[in-house]
Amino acid sequence: MLAQMQYRLSPQAEVALRDYIERRRALPHFANARSIRNALDRARLRQASRLFGRSTGLVSRLDLTTIEGADIRASRVFTDPATESTP
């Protein structure tokens, strides 16, 4: 999906996405590809906000096409106690 959108995951984002999927699958209403697509769309929005909020105006092509771990870990799956899965 990301390659089709011309994005890539940083190594930290790959780990975060695996963790996200594991946690998300344990929650109700997990819809496989749809849930992942929605998560990636939200990560792309967070990435854009992160880049827009930089103090420097310079953004490289790599910056524009790379989703970082923080973009994924900002999901409420990681922060909302109501969404935590039980081991």
Side-chain angles (χ1 to χ4, degrees), residues 4-5 17 26 28 30 33-36 54-55 57 61 70 74 76 81:
Q4 290 175 344
M5 295 184 286
L17 184 59
F30 180 72
R34 180 181 304 270
S35 293
I36 302 306
R54 279 187 172 179
S55 59
R61 180 181 177 100
R76 71 175 181 243

Side-chain angles (χ1 to χ4, degrees), residues 20 38-52 67 69-78:
Y20 172 89
N38 290 341
L40 292 175
D41 285 345
R42 288 188 295 274
R44 289 173 45 221
L45 289 172
R46 289 185 202 107
Q47 179 244 19
S49 293
R50 177 176 50 80
L51 294 176
F52 184 74
I67 294 174
D71 301 326
I72 294 172
R73 291 203 182 273
S75 167
R76 71 175 181 243
V77 169
F78 295 103

Side-chain angles (χ1 to χ4, degrees), residues 20-35:
Y20 172 89
I21 292 168
E22 182 179 316
R23 290 170 182 246
R24 186 62 186 89
R25 286 183 69 197
L27 298 173
H29 311 295
F30 180 72
N32 297 324
R34 180 181 304 270
S35 293

